[in-house]
Amino acid sequence: MSVVLVLAALLAGTYVVAVLEGWASTGRLRPAGPLVSGLALLGRESLVPRKPDRIFFEVAPPLLLVAAVLAAAVLPLAPGLIVTDLATGALFVNASFAYVMVAVLMAGWGPDGAYAMVGGFRFLGQLVAYSMLVVMPITAVAMRAESLLTTEVVTSQVSLWNALYQPLGFALFFLAAMAIAFLPPFDLPIAPGELAEGVLAEYTGWRLGVMRFGRALLVLTLALAVTVFYLGGWFGPVLPPWAWTALKTLAVAAVMLSVGRYVPRLREADVLAWGWKYGIPLALVNIFYVGVVLLVAM
Amino acid sequence: MGQAVFTGFFGAAAIWFGVVVFRTSSMVRSALALLFSQAAIGAMFLAMETEFLGVLQLMMMATEMAIMAIFMVMYMMDPGGLGGMDMTHQKRASLVAGALGAVAALVVALLAGWGPVATRVPAATAQVHDLGIEIMERSMLIFETAGVTILTAMIAATAIAIRRRR
């Protein structure tokens, strides 16, 4: 039962994220926009480029979707409303996000096109910049919860949200989450205006539809992960728990989607340099700080 | 029974993808085949109810293969790996080494005293807890030594790679 509910919630949330993305990128709010463009994509021919790597080309869109769904499966929407509360939930979230890179690399390599390939390899480089900034802040979150269960992570924040308890980790994880979903200013693999949609360039019709759907679902899942790990998950007054999760998740997604309007696209070299020279030392400081605070509190 | 079937299935998948690594002519396909081979081993861990090891394997291998792919692409003759290339070299020596390795693995698998087969497995949360205690207590020295060794190797490799300033 909870599986059906979670899937329905994800579907609804993805739609809202798609509407928000359209709003953030065009400045016009069109509630029926994703439905119309989705139907239009289904109606168009889905071309297969000449001499593709057929397996990679076909596997990439569903793999992106599956990676996002798997991450969502271990994140609670409300007490009891979770697909599976894995004992290694916090680690599993990270594991499934790692396969986003595999999907994007496949989408870049598969079509045998120059723009797509450059985009795919750019994302590979981007992973090297962001992946430590996903796992190290999660480590500090798990330290406070003394568990890898995502439900335990939420209940550990009953008195104080992690966003306030470890603001450094929150900021790093938030930026890394944006880099996973290649949202602007981290949209290097698609880079509209410079790389002509990069990894998405060779996809058309329903395959592009699956790709776009997977991307929107990924944004939602990342926003949900930020909510669960840092914003107290379902906790909140008056409203029912699921409503708080939904509100917080959509608010996080809205912020993620709107930042790109005000910041220019970063250079690949800068993302890598900043990730390693500033991000990782700061993440280590965060782990150390959380450790000291936990010991003092004991 | 189901457990044995799944473990065997993922084991066969791991071997198959391992074969694909050498049969393809593209660096990227080779790297991703290796990733799927390792991911299949992660799935074997999951089938054997060692949840932490399975998830860790799935996570680490995706990232590690990515980094390996970056280095492969960096050091290749053709940018981006668009040209085909043979994945094998020193064929006779590799055949001998591979055959010897396989025989050695089979001998160990068949002759080692594995003790009684575990019929009950601790719960997944208990496994995570026990593993943490093991790493931070009895095996701490081993893990710290391994960590420092890898760090030293990384620093040494970087030092070699940096071009000397004039």
Side-chain angles (χ1 to χ4, degrees), chain A residues 129-255:
Chain A
Y130 74 68
S131 66
M132 292 316 282
L133 303 181
V134 179
V135 70
M136 284 160 83
I138 291 184
T139 307
V141 166
M143 275 162 66
R144 187 185 179 200
E146 295 186 13
S147 172
L148 290 173
L149 289 164
T150 45
T151 44
E152 290 278 321
V153 168
V154 174
T155 46
S156 75
Q157 302 173 64
V158 66
S159 57
L160 183 66
W161 289 2
N162 272 335
L164 303 171
Y165 187 91
Q166 32 186 313
L168 196 53
F170 172 61
L172 290 173
F173 187 80
F174 196 96
L175 290 173
M178 287 178 66
I180 296 179
F182 44 101
L183 288 171
F186 300 102
D187 57 343
L188 288 159
I190 49 173
E194 169 204 350
L195 209 56
E197 293 285 312
V199 290
L200 300 179
E202 307 289 342
Y203 282 95
T204 43
W206 64 269
R207 292 190 182 89
L208 181 62
V210 174
M211 208 75 178
R212 290 236 172 102
F213 179 62
R215 209 303 191 73
L217 181 62
L218 179 64
V219 173
L220 181 80
T221 310
L222 285 161
L224 180 60
V226 171
T227 306
V228 166
F229 290 146
Y230 290 97
L231 298 177
W234 62 72
F235 287 121
V238 187
L239 293 175
W242 61 266
W244 275 112
T245 310
L247 276 178
K248 290 173 186 174
T249 305
L250 291 176
V252 171
V255 174

Side-chain angles (χ1 to χ4, degrees), chain A:
Chain A
M1 188 58 203
S2 67
V3 177
V4 177
L5 276 178
V6 169
L7 283 181
L10 286 179
L11 209 57
T14 309
Y15 191 84
V16 178
V17 165
V19 172
L20 284 174
E21 184 167 21
W23 195 14
S25 54
T26 63
R28 280 182 300 148
L29 180 62
R30 295 190 306 146
L35 188 68
V36 172
S37 47
L39 285 176
L41 280 178
L42 284 182
R44 277 182 210 139
E45 187 185 5
S46 187
L47 295 169
V48 176
R50 204 158 52 144
K51 292 180 81 179
D53 191 322
R54 197 64 195 252
I55 298 175
F56 284 7
F57 184 73
E58 301 288 2
V59 166
L63 184 62
L64 186 65
L65 200 59
V66 167
V69 171
L70 282 181
V74 296
L75 293 168
L77 303 183
L81 192 56
I82 179 170
V83 175
T84 168
D85 198 5
L86 278 187
T88 49
L91 195 67
F92 188 86
V93 169
N94 192 24
S96 34
F97 285 147
Y99 285 82
V100 170
M101 175 277 297
V102 179
V104 174
L105 182 63
M106 281 180 164
W109 180 259
D112 191 21
Y115 288 134
M117 192 191 66
V118 172
F121 281 135
R122 271 191 188 180
F123 195 65
L124 200 56
Q126 192 163 318
L127 169 112
V128 175
Y130 74 68
S131 66
M132 292 316 282
L133 303 181
V134 179
V135 70
M136 284 160 83
I138 291 184
T139 307
V141 166
M143 275 162 66
R144 187 185 179 200
E146 295 186 13
S147 172
L148 290 173
L149 289 164
T150 45
T151 44
E152 290 278 321
V153 168
V154 174
T155 46
S156 75
Q157 302 173 64
V158 66
S159 57
L160 183 66
W161 289 2
N162 272 335
L164 303 171
Y165 187 91
Q166 32 186 313
L168 196 53
F170 172 61
L172 290 173
F173 187 80
F174 196 96
L175 290 173
M178 287 178 66
I180 296 179
F182 44 101
L183 288 171
F186 300 102
D187 57 343
L188 288 159
I190 49 173
E194 169 204 350
L195 209 56
E197 293 285 312
V199 290
L200 300 179
E202 307 289 342
Y203 282 95
T204 43
W206 64 269
R207 292 190 182 89
L208 181 62
V210 174
M211 208 75 178
R212 290 236 172 102
F213 179 62
R215 209 303 191 73
L217 181 62
L218 179 64
V219 173
L220 181 80
T221 310
L222 285 161
L224 180 60
V226 171
T227 306
V228 166
F229 290 146
Y230 290 97
L231 298 177
W234 62 72
F235 287 121
V238 187
L239 293 175
W242 61 266
W244 275 112
T245 310
L247 276 178
K248 290 173 186 174
T249 305
L250 291 176
V252 171
V255 174
M256 280 182 174
L257 290 167
S258 49
V259 169
R261 260 178 99 80
Y262 307 101
V263 192
R265 183 177 303 132
L266 298 172
R267 282 175 55 223
E268 177 89 39
D270 286 341
V271 176
L272 273 166
W274 294 341
W276 280 80
K277 288 181 187 161
Y278 308 115
I280 291 178
L282 286 176
L284 283 172
V285 167
N286 180 53
I287 289 178
F288 183 74
Y289 163 79
V290 172
V292 169
V293 171
L294 282 172
L295 283 180
V296 169
M298 267 164 71

Side-chain angles (χ1 to χ4, degrees), chain B residues 39-83:
Chain B
I41 295 176
M44 279 173 85
F45 279 130
L46 289 182
M48 291 187 282
E49 294 178 57
T50 49
E51 190 184 303
F52 186 87
L53 289 180
V55 174
L56 192 69
Q57 171 88 1
L58 286 173
M59 181 189 88
M60 294 303 296
M61 285 308 141
T63 323
E64 275 173 21
M65 290 309 133
I67 291 165
M68 200 187 76
I70 286 179
F71 278 91
M72 291 197 322
V73 172
M74 261 163 51
Y75 291 120
M76 254 183 313
M77 293 72 83
D78 54 327
L82 281 179

